[in-house]
């Protein structure tokens, strides 16, 4: 598998699937979640509403992943995953790693071979970027998957530099 980092907008990625750093409601929010819902259009929201009504009435649990259509995005699918909120007193790295492993598992079930990831949990969930990058890249490297390309798409320069340094160590 080839793992890269790039600075850019995840909603513009031409890959099989983009990963959404969703909140548990699956109904949109801020950051990456809001951007994906806005750019992808109402079709993503309707698919998420069906998931909530039928499969996740209490919301999507942290560390799990589920796919929907990508609506108007250039990708085919959106894989929604809920990252953990950072805690200085509790190690939540296993949950963050699970977001990446489960997203790849869902990608495999879809037949996706290229996946774009954001920096899950590093926004409002306050996970330190340095720690998140290590956890994310290691989880992806350790996952048995048919995905051939994983691209981390980072919105700001600092986050991009951190992820690029970690991915370059492969």
């Amino acid at each position: 598998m080839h793992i890269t980092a790039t600075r850019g907008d995840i909603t513009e990625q031409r890959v099989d699937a983009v990963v959404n750093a969703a909140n548990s409601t699956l109904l949109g929010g801020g950051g990456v979640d809001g951007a994906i819902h806005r750019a992808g259009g109402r079709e993503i929201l309707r698919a998420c509403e069906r998931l909530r009504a039928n499969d996740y009435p209490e919301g999507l649990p942290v560390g799990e992943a589920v796919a929907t259509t990508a609506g108007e995005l250039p990708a085919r699918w959106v894989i929604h995953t809920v990252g953990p909120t950072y805690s200085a007193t509790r190690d939540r790295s296993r949950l963050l790693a699970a977001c990446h492993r489960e997203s790849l598992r869902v990608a495999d079930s879809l037949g996706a071979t290229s996946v774009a990831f954001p920096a899950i949990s590093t926004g409002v969930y306050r996970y330190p970027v340095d720690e998140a990058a290590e956890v994310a890249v290691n989880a992806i490297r350790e996952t048995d998957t048919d995905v051939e390309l994983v691209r981390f798409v980072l919105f700001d320069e600092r986050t991009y530099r951190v992820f690029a340094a970690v991915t370059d160590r492969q």
Side-chain angles (χ1 to χ4, degrees):
M1 169 191 328
H2 186 62
I3 304 172
T4 66
T6 188
R7 186 160 179 220
D9 183 341
I10 199 163
T11 68
E12 297 174 354
Q13 298 303 301
R14 295 193 180 281
V15 291
D16 294 331
V18 296
V19 175
N20 180 18
N23 63 52
S24 64
T25 70
L26 296 174
L27 303 178
V32 170
D33 194 18
I36 286 174
H37 275 268
R38 282 188 303 277
R42 223 147 134 87
E43 198 174 340
I44 295 173
L45 180 59
R46 283 195 297 270
C48 287
E49 288 170 340
R50 285 191 297 276
L51 283 169
R52 281 299 306 273
N54 299 320
D55 301 317
Y56 299 99
E58 304 297 316
L60 185 66
V62 172
E64 293 190 21
V66 65
T68 65
T69 178
E72 297 173 25
L73 298 176
R76 294 178 62 192
W77 300 285
V78 174
I79 299 172
H80 307 267
T81 190
V82 180
T85 300
Y86 180 74
S87 170
T89 59
R90 293 183 59 203
D91 181 6
R92 299 212 169 125
S93 61
R94 283 193 344 254
L95 289 169
L96 184 57
C99 291
H100 295 85
R101 280 193 311 274
E102 288 301 304
S103 294
L104 291 175
R105 181 191 59 76
V106 170
D108 283 340
S109 75
L110 297 168
T113 59
S114 57
V115 179
F117 279 87
I120 298 170
S121 286
T122 62
V124 296
Y125 291 174
R126 301 181 318 277
Y127 220 99
V129 172
D130 296 13
E131 289 180 44
E134 292 287 341
V135 170
V137 173
N138 288 334
I140 287 169
R141 284 184 181 142
E142 295 167 1
T143 299
D144 183 24
T145 180
D146 291 327
V147 172
E148 298 168 2
L149 170 66
V150 169
R151 181 183 305 145
F152 285 99
V153 181
L154 300 314
F155 195 71
D156 66 84
E157 184 64 27
R158 180 185 179 279
T159 305
Y160 161 70
R161 282 196 318 269
V162 170
F163 271 79
V166 176
T167 61
D168 286 347
R169 286 186 283 180
Q170 54 180 328

